[in-house]
Amino acid sequence: MYSPDDTIVAIATPPGRGGIGVVRVSGPSAREVASAIAERAMPLEPRHATLTHVRAGETAIDRAVLTFFPAPHSYTGEDVLEISAHGSPVLLRAIVESAVKAGARLAEPGEFTFRAYLHGRIDLVQAEAVQDLVEAVTPLQARAAFDQLEGTLTARIHEIDSALFELSARLEASIDFPEEGYHFVEPGSASSEIRDIVRELDSLLADASRGRLVREGAQVAILGRPNSGKSSLFNRLAGSGRAIVTDIPGTTRDLVTEVIDIDGAAITLVDTAGLHGAATDAVEQEGISRAHAARRVADLVIVVLDRSRPLDEDDRELLAATESGLRLVLGNKSDVSAAWPIQTAGVDMLAVSAKSGRGLDELPRAIITALSGRDRLRDTPAVTNVRHAEVLSRAADALRRAAHAAEERTAEEFVAADVSEARAMLEEVTGARTPDDVLHAIFSKFCIGK
C-alpha cells in the first residue's frame, strides 16, 4: 500500500485561501525537515508552538508557527511537524516543496491516518470515523462519528471478543484432552453462551439501517405530473426558492437537487420534470427520462398528486410504477376544493398544501419513518458503516452455526472452528486482521493531508 519508512508531507487544510493553512510532516526525517525550512538555530522544543520564519531555499517567505511532536506521542505515532502559516496556496505549496527538497515525499490520500493505524494509535473503526467526522454535514453525523472515534463501538466489540476468547480457550482445552469430552465446557452451556453473544451482535445490528441513514444520508426524488406542485414542495422543504415555480406546465426540465438536514440525516432532495405521456419537445422528453432515472436510484420517492384536478392516466401510471419501492404519496393543493376524495387513489396519502404549508409539518417525520422504520433519529446508532454491519452479520451467522453444532453434540473441533471464524470477523472490523485490499479501499477515500 504505502511505504511506512519514509517521511511524508502534505497540506492538511482545505484547498483555497484562508487566515491559516497547515502543512503536516510525519516520519523519521521530520526534525531534519524542520531544520531545513525554519530560520531557527535552536532545536524545536517538543509540543511547544514556536514562531519563526520559514524558508524556500535561502529566502524567508513567511512567518509561521512550528510545533514538533516527537514519537510516539503524536497523531501518527511518528515524529510529526506541523507548520501553521498564512493560508495562501502559493505559500503552502512553497513550504511543501521545501520539505520535499529536504527529504520528504508527498503523502498519499489517508496516509497520515494509515500510519496512526499502523502504529496502534487508533484501530480501523476509529480510522474510518476520522473520515466520517471530516465529511459530516449534520450534527448527528458528527456525533455518531465522534462516538466511534472515541472507541464506543470498539469497546463493545472487544467485550464480545473477550467472551469468545474465553469460550474458545475452554473448547481448545477439551480438544487437547479428548478423553474428557466436554469436560471444560458442557454442550448446553456452550450453546447458551454462544446464543447470548449472538444476541449482543443482533442488538448492534438491529439499528444498522438507521445508522447507515445517519452516515450516508439518502436520496429522495419528488415525482408528479406537470403543475402538480413538485417544485413548490421542493422549495418548501429546501427552505429557499431553488426551483422555478410558475403556472406554465413543464417549467422544470432538468434535475434540481438540494441537501437538507432532517432529524440529523442528510437528505438529498431531487426535483424532477413533470411526468406525462404527451411530451413532444425533445428537451422535455430528456427531462422526463432523467426523472425516471432519478426514481430508479432514489432511496425514497415522493409522489405528488394534484387534488384540484381529476386523477388521470399519468397519475395512475406513476402510482403503479412506484408501488414496489419506498414511497410517500401526497395529495397536494388541499387549500382549494378537492376534485376527488383521498380514497379514490387507493393508497395511503398525506393531504398537504405546498402553497400554504398545510400538512407539511408532518412530512419530515414521514420521510424519516419511511427510510428508517422509526419516527426519530435522536439516539446515536452504534453501527453506521455498511462494512461493519456486513462483517458483524457474518460473525453472527458463524456463531449461530456454532450454537447449533453444540446443541447437536457435534465434535468440539467444529464448534471451535465456527467460534474462531466469528473472532476473525470481529478482528476484521477493528483492523486486527484485515486484508490489504480492504485497507487500501478504506484509506484511498481519505483526503490528502489526513
Side-chain angles (χ1 to χ4, degrees), residues 176-246:
D176 291 340
F177 300 96
E179 69 279 1
E180 301 294 336
Y182 271 96
H183 176 72
F184 294 96
V185 52
E186 293 298 325
S189 173
S191 174
S192 177
E193 290 179 44
I194 293 170
R195 293 205 181 277
D196 285 344
I197 296 171
V198 170
R199 280 190 286 272
E200 283 285 321
L201 288 173
D202 286 342
S203 176
L204 282 175
L205 291 167
D207 225 11
S209 60
R210 186 175 67 95
R212 185 175 181 181
L213 174 61
V214 170
R215 180 177 186 260
E216 301 178 8
Q219 182 165 301
V220 176
I222 303 175
L223 307 172
R225 59 174 167 163
N227 270 14
S228 61
K230 302 184 314 305
S231 296
S232 296
L233 176 67
F234 176 90
N235 288 342
R236 279 277 185 175
L237 290 172
S240 64
R242 285 280 285 110
I244 297 173
V245 177
T246 73

Side-chain angles (χ1 to χ4, degrees), residues 47-246:
R47 292 175 295 281
H48 279 69
T50 302
L51 179 65
T52 182
H53 286 93
V54 291
R55 300 175 299 194
E58 298 299 321
T59 305
I61 58 173
D62 195 13
R63 293 177 70 193
V65 175
L66 275 62
T67 310
F68 178 68
F69 302 90
H73 305 295
S74 69
Y75 177 68
T76 62
E78 304 173 326
D79 286 349
V80 170
L81 175 67
E82 291 193 351
I83 306 161
S84 300
H86 290 95
S88 162
V90 174
L91 288 174
L92 298 177
R93 284 196 297 268
I95 293 171
V96 169
E97 289 170 2
S98 296
V100 170
K101 289 178 182 177
R105 68 164 172 82
L106 293 176
E108 298 292 333
E111 191 167 2
F112 290 98
T113 304
F114 179 67
R115 291 189 176 198
Y117 162 70
L118 282 183
H119 290 102
R121 299 292 289 172
I122 56 176
D123 63 24
L124 192 56
V125 172
Q126 292 170 305
E128 290 169 289
V130 169
Q131 180 71 352
D132 291 346
L133 194 55
V134 169
E135 295 184 347
V137 296
T138 73
L140 186 58
Q141 282 182 331
R143 191 164 75 247
F146 182 70
D147 282 351
Q148 293 191 2
L149 184 59
E150 289 289 278
T152 53
L153 177 58
T154 298
R156 291 191 65 177
I157 290 175
H158 281 170
E159 288 176 3
I160 294 171
D161 187 56
S162 295
L164 286 177
F165 174 77
E166 196 272 338
L167 175 62
S168 182
R170 286 184 284 140
L171 286 169
E172 292 295 338
S174 296
I175 294 170
D176 291 340
F177 300 96
E179 69 279 1
E180 301 294 336
Y182 271 96
H183 176 72
F184 294 96
V185 52
E186 293 298 325
S189 173
S191 174
S192 177
E193 290 179 44
I194 293 170
R195 293 205 181 277
D196 285 344
I197 296 171
V198 170
R199 280 190 286 272
E200 283 285 321
L201 288 173
D202 286 342
S203 176
L204 282 175
L205 291 167
D207 225 11
S209 60
R210 186 175 67 95
R212 185 175 181 181
L213 174 61
V214 170
R215 180 177 186 260
E216 301 178 8
Q219 182 165 301
V220 176
I222 303 175
L223 307 172
R225 59 174 167 163
N227 270 14
S228 61
K230 302 184 314 305
S231 296
S232 296
L233 176 67
F234 176 90
N235 288 342
R236 279 277 185 175
L237 290 172
S240 64
R242 285 280 285 110
I244 297 173
V245 177
T246 73

Side-chain angles (χ1 to χ4, degrees), residues 282-424:
V283 176
E284 189 175 10
Q285 288 176 343
E286 176 61 23
I288 291 173
S289 175
R290 295 188 181 191
H292 283 300
R295 169 179 64 81
R296 287 189 289 269
V297 301
D299 299 289
L300 171 72
V301 297
I302 297 177
V303 176
V304 182
L305 303 178
D306 183 355
R307 293 193 64 207
S308 69
R309 297 180 292 176
L311 286 173
D312 65 9
E313 190 60 29
D314 292 325
D315 293 321
R316 293 187 177 88
E317 287 182 1
L318 180 55
L319 289 172
T322 58
E323 66 180 350
S324 61
L326 285 180
R327 75 174 178 189
L328 292 173
V329 180
L330 306 184
N332 191 29
K333 303 185 183 179
S334 62
D335 55 317
V336 298
S337 298
W340 45 272
I342 284 180
Q343 296 80 3
T344 302
V347 295
D348 292 334
M349 186 182 309
L350 181 63
V352 301
S353 170
K355 182 177 181 180
S356 70
R358 178 182 173 186
L360 293 183
D361 290 344
E362 302 174 39
L363 184 55
R365 180 170 295 184
I367 290 173
I368 292 301
T369 300
L371 289 169
S372 70
R374 294 191 176 188
D375 62 350
R376 296 299 301 273
L377 294 177
R378 289 170 295 188
D379 299 328
T380 305
V383 178
T384 61
N385 189 308
V386 66
R387 184 185 77 85
H388 302 166
E390 289 176 352
V391 178
L392 290 175
S393 180
R394 295 206 303 271
D397 289 342
L399 290 177
R400 288 188 183 94
R401 292 196 300 271
H404 179 72
E407 290 166 354
E408 296 295 315
R409 295 184 175 271
T410 307
E412 296 96 319
E413 288 88 348
F414 294 99
V415 180
D418 287 328
V419 171
S420 177
E421 181 182 341
R423 292 196 65 210

